[in-house]
Amino acid sequence: MKIAVEGCAHGDLDNIYATLQHLEHTENVKIDLLICCGDFQALRNEEDFESLSCPAKFRSMGSFWKYYSGVERAPYPTLFVGGNHEASNYLWELYYGGFVAPNIYFLGFAGVVKFGGVRIGGLSGIFKQGDYRKGHFERVPYNDSDIRSVYHVREYDVKKLLQLEGAIDVFVSHDWPEGVTQYGDVQQLLRHKRHFEQEIEENRLGSNAGKELLHKLKPDYWFAAHLHTKFAAVVPHPNSNKATRFLALDKCLPHRRFLQMVDIPAAAGPLEFTHDEEWLAITRAYHPYFPLTRQPMQLRNPLNLAAQRQWVQKRLGERGSAISMQFTMTAPPYQANQPRGRAGQLPGHVRNPQTEAFLEFLDLPYLLDHASESVPGQARVALPGTCHSS
C-alpha cells in the first residue's frame, strides 16, 4: 500500500491534494491513503475560529470548508489526528472518531482503525504535564483558558491505548515521543532548530505519554509533526526483534519538507476504513470511567476485556466492521461570496449523528454533553458505575 504522509496541514487541503496529484502524474504512482499528523484545522465556517487556539492575525479560513460543504471532494481517503491548532468544538463532536467531510476521517482523541488491512492507531493533541491527569472538562463555548487546554493529551486516552496487545502497523501523533531524537541525526536537527538544544540535552523535547506508547506498542511506523521540521529515526526495542521507523514532517508551505511517500505491506482487505475489534472492546470497557471533570479517571472495578471482546465479536458479526460514511453537516458551511462578518459566540455542544450511531452500535450512553465544573452554574457529573507550544 502506498501511503502519503503529511505534517501539519493548517487547513491547506487544496495545495496538499494538488501536490499529491502532481506526484501521481510525474512519478506514475497510485496513492491509496493520505495521513495528516495534526493541526488539520477542520474549519467549517467563521464561527469555528472561536474554538481555534491561534492568534487572530494568523487565522485563515483555509480550504477545508470546500470539502465539508461538498464544493470539492477529497480525491484520496484521508485520515488525521488533531494537533494544538484545531476547530476543537467540531473535533469534540467526533471524540470517538468519524468523518469530518466525505472521505476525510478523524481518528478521534485516541483511536485505532484498519484500512486495507493496515492497522492504524493514533493520539490527538499535545502533551502538557499539568493537564495530563485531568478529565475532559472543557465545554463549548470555550473560555480563554479552556481553548488552550482542550487539546492537551489526557491520561484516560493514553491508558486505553496502552491496553492494546495486537500489533500496530502505523501510529500517528502530533507531537513527538520524548527521547526519539537520540535515535536520529540530532546534529542535523539542531542545524535547522538550534533552539531545541537545551530541551534535547535535558530529555524534555516531546511527549512523555508518547514515549510510553512508543515502547509499549512498538509500531512498525510512527508519524508525527508539530515542530515544523523533518526528522527521521529508527527506534530499536530491546528484547524483541522489532524497531520503529519514526518520521516527523514540516507544515505545508513552499520549499518545506512536508510530504513523504511510504510503501507499507498490506494484508488483504478493502481500501476502506473499518472498525478494530480490540479497540472497540477497550472503548466499551473504559466508557463507564470516562472522566468529564477536572478529576482524573477512577477505575473502581477490574476491567474484563475478554468479555467485552466477545460482545464486540458478536456485534461485528451481526452488523459488519465497515465504518459507515454517513456524514452529516452539523454547522452551516462558509460562504466565500459573502462579506466576512464578526464571528458570534458559539452555541453549546452539538450531538453529531455519527457519534450517536457509534455509541448505539456499542450500546453505550452518550456522555459528551455532560456538565462540567468548568462551566459556571453547572455541577460535576457522577458517571454510571458499569506551532511548538502548550
Side-chain angles (χ1 to χ4, degrees):
M1 180 184 299
K2 191 167 289 292
I3 297 178
V5 184
E6 194 275 332
C8 298
H10 289 287
D12 200 4
L13 287 184
D14 279 354
N15 282 328
I16 293 169
Y17 289 138
T19 302
L20 293 180
Q21 290 171 325
H22 175 75
L23 286 172
E24 279 194 325
H25 178 72
T26 58
E27 299 186 14
N28 193 28
V29 296
K30 174 68 172 67
I31 296 167
D32 298 304
L33 175 68
L34 168 64
I35 293 177
C36 296
C37 302
D39 285 355
F40 191 79
Q41 295 185 10
L43 294 161
R44 302 164 294 178
N45 54 43
E46 291 176 317
E47 288 191 341
D48 281 347
F49 282 130
E50 301 303 307
S51 296
L52 174 71
S53 179
C54 177
K57 64 180 179 179
F58 295 125
R59 291 177 176 179
S60 171
M61 198 65 230
S63 52
F64 168 77
W65 66 271
K66 299 179 185 178
Y67 302 86
Y68 173 78
S69 66
V71 172
E72 302 283 354
R73 181 179 172 86
Y76 311 98
T78 301
L79 177 146
F80 74 97
V81 296
N84 56 312
H85 301 298
E86 302 290 358
S88 296
N89 58 325
Y90 189 25
L91 297 192
W92 180 248
E93 289 181 23
L94 296 168
Y95 168 84
Y96 306 94
F99 288 95
V100 296
N103 220 25
I104 303 177
Y105 188 80
F106 172 49
L107 194 51
F109 278 55
V112 182
V113 296
K114 292 179 180 176
F115 184 86
V118 174
R119 195 178 191 213
I120 305 170
L123 178 67
S124 291
I126 62 171
F127 181 81
K128 186 173 184 180
Q129 186 63 55
D131 288 326
Y132 181 58
R133 298 202 68 238
K134 294 176 183 176
H136 289 284
F137 64 87
E138 300 89 350
R139 297 291 180 273
V140 177
Y142 303 120
N143 60 36
D144 289 344
S145 174
D146 291 357
I147 199 173
R148 295 191 298 273
S149 68
V150 64
Y151 52 76
H152 288 157
V153 168
R154 305 300 157 94
E155 181 184 35
Y156 172 75
D157 302 307
V158 173
K159 280 190 176 296
K160 288 167 65 180
L161 289 166
L162 288 170
Q163 302 305 309
L164 293 166
E165 297 293 340
I168 296 291
D169 299 308
V170 173
F171 197 88
V172 189
S173 66
H174 187 55
D175 55 0
W176 304 11
E178 183 183 86
V180 74
T181 53
Q182 66 183 289
Y183 303 105
D185 191 339
V186 177
Q187 295 308 312
Q188 183 183 40
L189 174 62
L190 290 176
R191 282 194 289 272
H192 293 282
K193 299 285 185 177
R194 175 56 61 184
H195 58 286
F196 290 173
E197 186 170 15
Q198 184 173 353
E199 287 182 276
I200 291 173
E201 288 179 353
E202 297 174 357
N203 197 30
R204 293 188 295 109
L205 186 71
S207 164
N208 184 266
K211 176 183 178 180
E212 188 176 8
L213 288 167
L214 171 63
H215 293 289
K216 166 62 166 64
L217 302 181
K218 304 176 177 64
D220 293 336
Y221 295 87
W222 185 302
F223 303 131
H226 189 43
L227 301 183
H228 296 170
T229 189
K230 183 176 182 179
F231 180 78
V234 177
V235 182
H237 299 293
N239 304 318
S240 75
N241 294 322
K242 298 197 68 175
T244 297
R245 295 173 176 84
F246 174 82
L247 176 66
L249 292 165
D250 207 332
K251 59 182 173 179
C252 179
L253 285 174
H255 313 298
R256 304 286 279 269
R257 296 183 294 177
F258 67 92
L259 197 62
Q260 182 83 35
M261 306 293 292
V262 181
D263 286 304
I264 295 180
L271 294 181
E272 63 182 9
F273 296 109
T274 59
H275 288 299
D276 182 84
E277 178 185 300
E278 185 181 20
W279 181 249
L280 295 183
I282 292 168
T283 299
R284 272 185 56 85
Y286 271 77
H287 194 75
Y289 309 103
F290 195 165
L292 291 162
T293 72
R294 294 177 186 271
Q295 300 304 310
M297 174 184 69
Q298 301 291 332
L299 277 176
R300 297 186 290 274
N301 300 300
L303 297 177
N304 188 344
L305 291 178
Q308 299 295 351
R309 190 80 176 255
Q310 289 181 343
W311 189 97
V312 168
Q313 287 173 347
K314 183 174 185 294
R315 181 54 61 98
L316 291 175
E318 295 168 348
R319 300 198 185 182
S321 62
I323 299 175
S324 175
M325 193 163 65
Q326 293 181 337
F327 167 74
T328 303
M329 287 193 295
T330 54
Y334 174 66
Q335 299 293 327
N337 59 349
Q338 292 184 1
R340 181 169 181 170
R342 293 186 63 186
Q345 189 179 55
L346 285 170
H349 175 72
V350 175
R351 290 196 173 194
N352 194 296
Q354 292 179 78
T355 299
E356 292 183 305
F358 175 80
L359 291 169
E360 185 278 328
F361 179 80
L362 291 182
D363 193 23
L364 295 173
Y366 192 102
L367 301 175
L368 297 179
D369 52 5
H370 269 276
S372 166
E373 83 276 17
S374 70
V375 181
Q378 293 184 337
R380 183 178 303 172
V381 172
L383 291 180
T386 42
C387 337
H388 176 41
S389 59
S390 62

